[in-house]
């Protein structure tokens, strides 16, 4: 898609380009102030004929509309404005109000605000966690939330995680492999899976932020869910790794099943620690353990083998 032509057609100029895997995402401005312009998956849609592209764009927008409706039904704060259209060229375009600062950026730049941010996120999604995961999910990575003077909002509407029209949407496109699909559904459509992704994202910034996460669960979740979640998180195997010796770490690595993506990543966060090359290694870990985009279980398992080799090299170094 021609970014320049797109912006000219709306009479806007680009303020910032966001790194996004599933779309072209731009912060733009016109005479009325900044807002977000998003084109879902232009690379995939460009390959389609115009009529097929337009039909697929209508489908994308319908799923996103259902996702928004369900999230609002569980009192998840969303952008004030979220308008969608299908352009004459068949591409979907989403116009989204600017809702403050990315929560990951806030914690990176102002670590003393971590408690405020994490408690805001947990509070924002509590209704969904308690009552809604049978029909709607969420991707609780920090960068999918923003914070402004009105509080935390969930801003990443595409990909949409919703059961709609007899199907479950949990990626775009959905995983073709049934085993991968089931694993991803557990990560996005259960209270534990959703909160575990938030915990991991915090620990990727700094493992010490786990204590902020657990404190937020204690303060913000209702009693029945709070007790269950705190119990489950207290028994995750990575919690013993910081003080474990080399042999215990190697044994723990062998015990993690290959389909447990989050457990593999949590293991990596603990054993990597504060190394100077931490960011680069975590980037490799992310790619080696990425499941949802795998064409098959076999291809994913091949990458997990490489992940184990990398971890063993770090442990015994």
């Amino acid at each position: 898609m021609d970014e320049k032509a797109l912006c000219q057609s709306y009479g806007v100029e680009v303020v910032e380009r966001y790194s996004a895997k599933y779309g072209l995402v731009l912060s733009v401005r016109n005479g009325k102030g900044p807002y977000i312009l998003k084109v879902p998956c232009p690379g995939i849609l460009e390959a389609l004929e115009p009529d097929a592209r337009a039909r697929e764009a209508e489908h994308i927008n319908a799923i996103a509309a259902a996702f928004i409706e369900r999230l609002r039904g569980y009192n998840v704060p969303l952008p004030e404005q979220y308008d969608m259209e299908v352009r004459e060229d068949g591409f979907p375009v989403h116009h989204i109000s600017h809702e403050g600062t990315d929560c990951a950026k806030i914690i990176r730049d102002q670590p003393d605000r971590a408690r405020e941010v994490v408690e805001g996120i947990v509070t924002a999604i509590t209704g969904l966690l308690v009552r809604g995961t049978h029909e709607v999910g969420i991707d609780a990575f920090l960068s999918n939330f923003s914070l402004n003077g009105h509080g935390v909002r969930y801003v990443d509407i595409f990909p949409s995680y919703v059961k709609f029209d007899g199907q479950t949407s949990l990626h775009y496109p959905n995983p073709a492999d049934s085993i991968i699909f089931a694993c991803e559904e557990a990560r996005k459509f259960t209270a534990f899976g959703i909160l575990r992704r938030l915990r991991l994202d915090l620990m990727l910034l700094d493992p010490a932020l786990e204590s902020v996460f657990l404190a937020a669960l204690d303060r913000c979740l209702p009693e029945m869910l709070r007790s269950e979640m705190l119990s489950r998180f207290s028994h995750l195997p990575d919690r013993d790794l910081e003080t474990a010796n080399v042999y215990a770490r190697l044994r723990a690595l062998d015990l993690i099943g290959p389909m447990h993506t989050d457990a593999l990543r949590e293991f990596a966060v603990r054993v990597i620690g504060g190394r100077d090359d931490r960011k680069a290694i975590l980037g490799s870990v992310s790619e080696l353990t990425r499941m949802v985009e795998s064409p098959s279980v076999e291809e994913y398992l091949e990458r997990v083998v490489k992940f184990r080799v990398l971890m063993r090299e770090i442990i015994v170094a």
Side-chain angles (χ1 to χ4, degrees):
M1 165 163 276
D2 188 330
E3 178 187 312
K4 183 176 180 181
L6 175 72
C7 292
Q8 286 178 343
S9 71
Y10 291 110
V12 298
E13 61 177 334
V14 176
V15 177
E16 185 176 359
R17 293 170 179 82
Y18 296 105
S19 175
K21 289 182 63 66
Y22 307 113
L24 173 66
V25 185
L26 306 170
S27 174
V28 300
R29 64 184 171 200
N30 54 20
K32 299 179 182 179
Y35 70 98
I36 306 299
L37 201 60
K38 182 171 186 175
V39 182
C41 289
I44 294 176
L45 297 177
E46 278 177 338
L48 302 178
E49 294 298 321
D51 287 348
R53 182 189 306 140
R55 289 193 297 272
E56 186 62 17
E58 293 285 4
H59 181 62
I60 286 171
N61 287 355
I63 293 173
F67 188 39
I68 289 170
E69 180 183 6
R70 303 282 175 79
L71 290 175
R72 285 179 174 158
Y74 294 106
N75 299 316
V76 177
L78 302 175
E80 289 291 334
Q81 173 194 345
Y82 203 106
D83 298 326
M84 296 174 281
E85 64 171 322
V86 177
R87 290 163 50 91
E88 290 184 1
D89 58 11
F91 285 95
V93 177
H94 298 183
H95 304 262
I96 312 160
S97 54
H98 189 275
E99 298 293 346
T101 305
D102 167 348
C103 285
K105 177 176 174 54
I106 293 174
I107 295 179
R108 281 195 302 268
D109 296 346
Q110 305 173 68
D112 58 312
R113 298 185 67 188
R115 173 179 171 178
E116 171 194 1
V117 170
V118 179
E119 289 188 2
I121 290 173
V122 174
T123 299
I125 64 176
T126 290
L128 167 62
L129 297 175
V130 173
R131 299 180 288 114
T133 54
H134 64 288
E135 63 172 353
V136 62
I138 208 164
D139 186 0
F141 276 6
L142 292 165
S143 59
N144 291 338
F145 297 88
S146 66
L147 177 66
N148 60 22
H150 301 288
V152 167
R153 294 180 186 273
Y154 184 75
V155 296
D156 192 30
I157 300 301
F158 181 86
S160 303
Y161 308 100
V162 63
K163 297 185 179 181
F164 170 75
D165 199 22
Q167 295 184 330
T168 298
S169 170
L170 51 73
H171 190 63
Y172 187 83
N174 268 345
D177 190 287
S178 60
I179 297 175
I180 291 176
F181 187 97
C183 290
E184 286 298 314
E185 188 172 17
R187 299 175 73 213
K188 308 281 179 57
F189 282 81
T190 66
F192 181 66
I194 291 167
L195 289 172
R196 190 172 188 175
R197 286 171 69 77
L198 175 59
R199 173 184 181 261
L200 173 63
D201 209 26
L202 287 162
M203 291 172 62
L204 288 169
L205 289 179
D206 181 353
L209 288 171
E210 184 196 22
S211 62
V212 176
F213 168 79
L214 294 173
L217 299 191
D218 192 39
R219 292 189 187 98
C220 303
L221 292 180
E223 171 56 33
M224 183 171 67
L225 186 60
R226 177 172 67 244
S227 299
E228 178 190 352
M229 292 299 106
L230 288 175
S231 175
R232 294 188 69 175
F233 282 111
S234 71
H235 290 92
L236 286 178
D238 69 276
R239 301 200 76 202
D240 298 326
L241 289 173
E242 287 187 343
T243 57
N245 62 30
V246 169
Y247 301 104
R249 288 182 170 194
L250 290 171
R251 174 63 175 160
L253 177 62
D254 290 339
L255 289 174
I256 301 174
M259 303 306 293
H260 295 283
T261 295
D262 291 316
L264 294 170
R265 292 175 174 178
E266 290 157 355
F267 180 94
V269 168
R270 295 290 193 189
V271 301
I272 290 168
R275 294 169 57 117
D276 292 339
D277 55 355
R278 181 175 187 271
K279 185 175 181 180
I281 295 175
L282 287 175
S284 297
V285 166
S286 176
E287 291 303 315
L288 292 173
T289 58
R290 189 180 302 281
M291 181 188 295
V292 70
E293 297 163 3
S294 300
S296 66
V297 169
E298 290 75 19
E299 189 274 340
Y300 167 74
L301 293 177
E302 289 176 2
R303 286 188 281 109
V304 171
V305 170
K306 295 177 182 178
F307 165 84
R308 294 187 191 278
V309 170
L310 175 62
M311 289 298 102
R312 289 189 182 101
E313 290 174 352
I314 291 172
I315 292 169
V316 301

